């Protein structure tokens, strides 16, 4: 029997949301240096293990009214948000790249960017446990299944890491304080390893533009002060997602503007 046209994207979206539940564990535990495997998922307030029935992506959150069944502590809306975002990301990747090995690689890449985004926003750190293995996975994937090829991935990793490292050194020299962390350097190197050197340029442009606009908006709304640090990782991740889905189109559009 043929599958209904909606069956595949719904299934992919559910798998993405299910993996998103694990990403929430990573977001919570990695900054604390905890294992993401043991112990099993538990309430961050009462520390009691969460039953399988209460751990169904999005649905359990709605069923429980956003609270722990046992202690009734509030559960952050971030949990279903991450599950939904990862599910949507997987569907869009499947739609653009089809049922291919490259799509599976990009799904891993997308999930890594989600984890980095929320950890960096909360803690201003980008874990090496994400970026360093990510660089290796990106290079291996480029040599085996990705269209760009190994040379493009190596150049992307070197260019991405090198550009931000130069910015970090120059800003520290002028400002006499750290202007950009090495976590951002390694993140952009990972992005370059997966997407190639052209995507690095798209990522930096979009990341810098959106970061500046949102930073100004937060200061205008008095959510953040001028001296408060605003993490760059989430905006690099946003730029990388844009490069993943529309990199060639964005580059062609930009070149047409200058023609």
């Amino acid at each position: 029997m043929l599958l209904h046209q909606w069956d595949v994207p719904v299934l992919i979206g559910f798998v993405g949301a299910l993996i998103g539940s694990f990403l929430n564990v990573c977001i919570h535990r990695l900054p604390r240096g905890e294992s993401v495997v043991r112990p099993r998922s538990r309430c961050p307030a009462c520390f009691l293990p969460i039953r399988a029935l209460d751990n169904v992506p999005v649905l359990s959150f709605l069923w429980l009214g956003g609270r722990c069944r046992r202690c009734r502590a509030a559960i952050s809306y971030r949990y279903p948000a991450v599950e939904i975002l990862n599910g949507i990301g997987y569907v869009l990747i499947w739609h653009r790249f089809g049922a291919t090995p490259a799509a599976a690689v990009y799904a891993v890449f997308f999930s890594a960017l989600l984890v980095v985004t929320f950890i960096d926003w909360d803690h201003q750190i980008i874990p090496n446990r994400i970026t360093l293995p990510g660089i290796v996975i990106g290079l291996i994937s480029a040599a085996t299944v990705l269209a760009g090829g190994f040379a493009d991935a190596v150049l992307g990793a070197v260019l991405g890491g090198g550009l931000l490292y130069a910015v970090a050194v120059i800003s520290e020299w002028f400002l006499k304080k750290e202007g950009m962390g090495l976590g951002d350097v390694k993140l952009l190197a990972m992005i370059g390893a997966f997407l190639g050197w052209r995507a690095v340029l798209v990522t930096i442009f979009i990341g810098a533009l959106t970061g500046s606009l949102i930073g100004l908006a937060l200061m205008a709304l008095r959510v953040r002060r001028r001296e408060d640090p605003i993490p760059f990782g989430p905006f690099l991740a946003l730029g990388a997602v844009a490069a993943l889905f529309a990199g060639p189109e964005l580059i062609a559009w930009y070149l047409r503007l200058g023609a």
Side-chain angles (χ1 to χ4, degrees):
M1 183 176 65
L2 293 176
L3 292 173
H4 190 273
Q5 62 176 342
W6 288 105
D7 288 348
V8 173
V10 168
L11 177 61
I12 292 172
F14 178 74
V15 171
L18 198 63
I19 294 174
S21 182
F22 172 70
L23 300 184
N24 278 315
V25 175
C26 297
I27 292 167
H28 179 76
R29 296 186 185 182
L30 283 177
R32 295 167 173 81
E34 300 173 355
S35 169
V36 298
V37 179
R38 298 177 184 276
R40 53 182 283 195
S41 296
R42 61 191 188 272
C43 172
C46 66
F47 300 106
L48 289 176
I50 298 175
R51 300 189 309 176
L53 186 63
D54 294 340
N55 211 21
V56 179
V58 183
L59 297 179
S60 291
F61 180 88
L62 297 174
W63 175 256
L64 295 172
R67 293 188 176 275
C68 172
R69 180 185 294 274
R70 293 179 176 87
C71 71
R72 305 307 297 164
I75 302 170
S76 172
Y77 279 91
R78 173 176 295 179
Y79 286 85
V82 169
E83 293 165 353
I84 291 170
L85 286 172
N86 203 58
I88 292 173
Y90 280 22
V91 172
L92 293 176
I93 289 169
W94 167 77
H95 185 265
R96 182 166 179 88
F97 300 100
T100 62
V105 170
Y106 289 137
V108 172
F109 175 62
F110 182 87
S111 292
L113 292 177
L114 264 184
V115 173
V116 163
T117 293
F118 287 102
I119 290 178
D120 196 27
W121 188 261
D122 277 348
H123 303 278
Q124 286 76 58
I125 59 172
I126 299 176
N128 288 335
R129 291 168 68 181
I130 298 292
T131 54
L132 296 183
I135 293 171
V136 175
I137 292 171
L139 293 175
I140 293 174
S141 300
T144 53
V145 298
L146 299 183
F150 184 69
D152 188 42
V154 171
L155 184 56
V158 172
L159 179 65
L163 279 176
L164 282 199
Y165 183 73
V167 170
V169 171
I170 292 171
S171 63
E172 185 172 358
W173 187 68
F174 274 106
L175 301 175
K176 306 303 179 184
K177 63 179 182 179
E178 184 179 77
M180 182 172 296
L182 291 180
D184 296 317
V185 173
K186 286 173 276 191
L187 173 60
L188 193 55
M190 183 186 84
I191 292 168
F194 275 96
L195 302 182
W197 71 269
R198 294 174 184 84
V200 165
L201 303 180
V202 174
T203 297
I204 293 176
F205 176 77
I206 294 178
L209 177 62
T210 55
S212 299
L213 293 176
I214 292 177
L216 290 172
L218 291 175
M219 287 187 286
L221 295 171
R222 298 186 178 179
V223 176
R224 300 245 179 178
R225 297 172 299 176
R226 180 183 293 272
E227 61 270 21
D228 291 337
I230 296 178
F232 193 35
F235 303 107
L236 287 176
L238 178 62
V241 171
L244 172 63
F245 289 114
E249 292 84 353
L250 289 171
I251 292 172
W253 169 78
Y254 180 78
L255 292 176
R256 284 197 300 270
L257 288 180

